[in-house]
Amino acid sequence: MTAPAPEHPRADSAAPQAAPLWAILAVTWVNSLGSGILWSGIPFVTADQYGFTERQNLALAIAESVIYVAVALASGRMVRWPGVRMGLTPRGWLALVFALQAAGSLLALAGLAGVIAAACIISAIGAALWPVMESYVSSGRHGGAMRRALGSFNVTWMSATGAALLVMAPLMASDRPGLVLLVLLPVSLASIALLRWFPPAPAPHAHADAHAHVAPSYPHLLRATRFIIPVSYVFISVLGPLLPYILRDLQLDTGWQTPLASTWMFARMGTVVVLALASFWHGRWGALALGVALLAGGFAAIVLAPSVPMVLAGLACFGVGHGILYYASLYYAMAVGSADVDAGGTFEALIGVGYVIGPLAGMAAGGAQAGLVGAVWAVAAAGAVPAVGAWLRWRAVRGSVPARHGPPTPPSHRP
């Protein structure tokens, strides 16, 4: 266990060129409504309106996830190429992304085929959007300022994804719940209007300041999270498509299903608030271990629960565990990666990998709940082994270096 990185005297300040946090958070909140509808709400729409089976919902989730991974990995190049060829700034790129999102949402008017096409397009839009937004949040901020900015960013999008399921409740009781995707039309137009407060590009991120806030353990923790974060989204990607059937089997009324499903999202949000305000967790391996335990235990409780109260308790544990893992993973990615779009793109692509593996595990288990828990636990174990390897490597490096006094020696930015 290592001590947290010392704070820099400028940790509480942001470079004047940094985008106003309120504008970033406003764009984040409205667009996260769309993300919540896509990843957690669409399975309810396809199951209730179009009679999708569990395997069909899982297959749609796989298609969305493959698209997400491909676009996220290319996000850095996608932002740079139009900048070189056409003089399009990152802010201009965001405007283009929002325009495409608005157009894609209209496909929901075309019935089932339109809903499927809109879901795939919105998945690609999210993969192109969030790495750039994460760079705007983190660039020009370091240490405590970065943690608080990322905390505000995470609380914002997490509250919106939870709110999306609450907003969907009355639409789910209507004859055309698929029309909920049309909410992305005003969302996209509002986002384009808010871009006037964004600088043309993310603020400069001084490498000297960034190094001052990166403890020797951070690159090792980053390596561990690059295995843990996909595993966490394996759980989420399986839970989303199957939760409608779990709650239906427990005879919960349709109108209560999406509000109850949002429990884990609000638990995750509360966890991030605590982590954003506290400093005891960063640089510590125990935080990651606790997150994994709560996530896996909560998932098992949800899928095997004999009653609605047990599902509720499992969702709360699941949300706390994922809040720890997500926030820590993003912080280490942006701290070590110097807040670059590519750092955010890699982080988002790893999320997408989890979204691919999870539904594949669900389909392999045939949708059976008991078999599904075993399949996902096997995937989790496979992902935990390399993460433990990163921890062992850190212990070996720490043991071979004599104890030092004063600030840590800055590591390379490339983990």
Side-chain angles (χ1 to χ4, degrees):
M1 188 174 293
T2 184
E7 293 295 338
H8 190 276
R10 294 177 57 196
D12 294 330
S13 63
Q17 302 94 334
L21 192 56
W22 71 266
I24 294 173
L25 298 183
V27 172
T28 297
W29 198 88
V30 295
N31 282 277
S32 295
L33 285 174
S35 295
I37 291 169
L38 174 67
W39 297 112
S40 300
I42 288 296
F44 286 93
V45 173
T46 52
D48 292 344
Q49 182 175 356
Y50 298 109
F52 266 34
T53 64
E54 296 176 7
R55 292 180 68 85
Q56 286 174 316
N57 255 347
L58 289 167
L60 178 57
I62 291 171
E64 295 167 356
S65 304
V66 169
I67 293 170
Y68 195 93
V69 172
V71 176
L73 284 174
S75 60
R77 294 188 296 276
M78 291 170 68
V79 172
R80 288 189 292 271
W81 186 85
V84 173
R85 298 290 184 180
M86 299 180 292
L88 190 67
T89 65
R91 181 176 60 189
W93 168 255
L94 289 178
L96 176 61
V97 165
F98 293 138
L100 293 173
Q101 180 174 258
S105 68
L106 295 174
L107 293 172
L109 296 171
L112 176 58
V115 168
I116 292 173
C120 292
I121 290 172
I122 294 167
S123 177
I125 292 300
L129 168 64
W130 296 120
V132 182
M133 291 297 295
E134 287 159 4
S135 182
Y136 267 107
V137 171
S138 304
S139 292
R141 297 179 172 95
H142 305 281
M146 181 188 284
R147 282 194 297 276
R148 285 188 290 277
L150 288 175
S152 299
F153 172 74
N154 288 332
V155 168
T156 298
W157 75 256
M158 288 174 182
S159 67
T161 54
L165 292 183
L166 298 179
V167 169
M168 285 185 67
L171 286 169
M172 289 302 300
S174 71
D175 295 332
R176 300 285 301 278
L179 295 182
V180 70
L181 286 171
L182 292 179
V183 75
L184 288 171
L185 182 58
V187 159
S188 302
L189 297 177
S191 299
I192 292 172
L194 286 166
L195 288 178
R196 62 175 295 187
W197 284 281
F198 279 54
H205 199 76
H207 292 292
D209 288 343
H211 276 129
H213 298 285
V214 177
S217 62
Y218 280 21
H220 300 282
L221 285 159
L222 175 60
R223 291 189 184 97
T225 62
R226 284 184 169 172
F227 297 102
I228 292 173
I229 201 66
V231 169
S232 74
Y233 276 90
V234 167
F235 287 105
I236 290 176
S237 61
V238 169
L239 185 64
L242 297 187
L243 194 54
Y245 307 99
I246 294 171
L247 298 179
R248 183 190 63 189
D249 291 344
L250 294 175
Q251 300 182 339
L252 185 67
D253 290 340
T254 301
W256 284 101
Q257 289 181 8
T258 53
L260 188 141
S262 69
T263 299
W264 75 269
M265 299 180 181
F266 289 110
R268 176 176 64 180
M269 182 182 71
T271 302
V272 167
V273 171
V274 173
L275 296 180
L277 297 175
S279 61
F280 64 87
W281 60 271
H282 59 273
R284 301 187 184 278
W285 291 87
L288 297 183
L290 177 63
V292 170
L294 289 171
L295 185 88
F299 177 83
I302 295 164
V303 180
L304 299 177
S307 65
V308 171
M310 180 63 74
V311 172
L312 193 63
L315 286 168
C317 289
F318 187 87
V320 173
H322 190 258
I324 294 171
L325 298 177
Y326 182 93
Y327 185 80
S329 298
L330 180 57
Y331 175 68
Y332 295 135
M334 301 312 287
V336 177
S338 298
D340 190 66
V341 173
D342 288 311
T346 300
F347 177 75
E348 294 295 331
L350 291 171
I351 290 174
V353 169
Y355 272 125
V356 172
I357 296 174
L360 286 174
M363 293 185 76
Q369 293 180 15
L372 182 57
V373 171
V376 175
W377 268 101
V379 171
V385 170
V388 171
W391 175 71
L392 292 173
R393 172 62 180 165
W394 167 75
R395 286 180 61 89
V397 170
R398 189 184 65 162
S400 65
V401 177
R404 296 178 180 269
H405 297 283
T409 301
S412 169
H413 278 291
R414 293 190 177 274

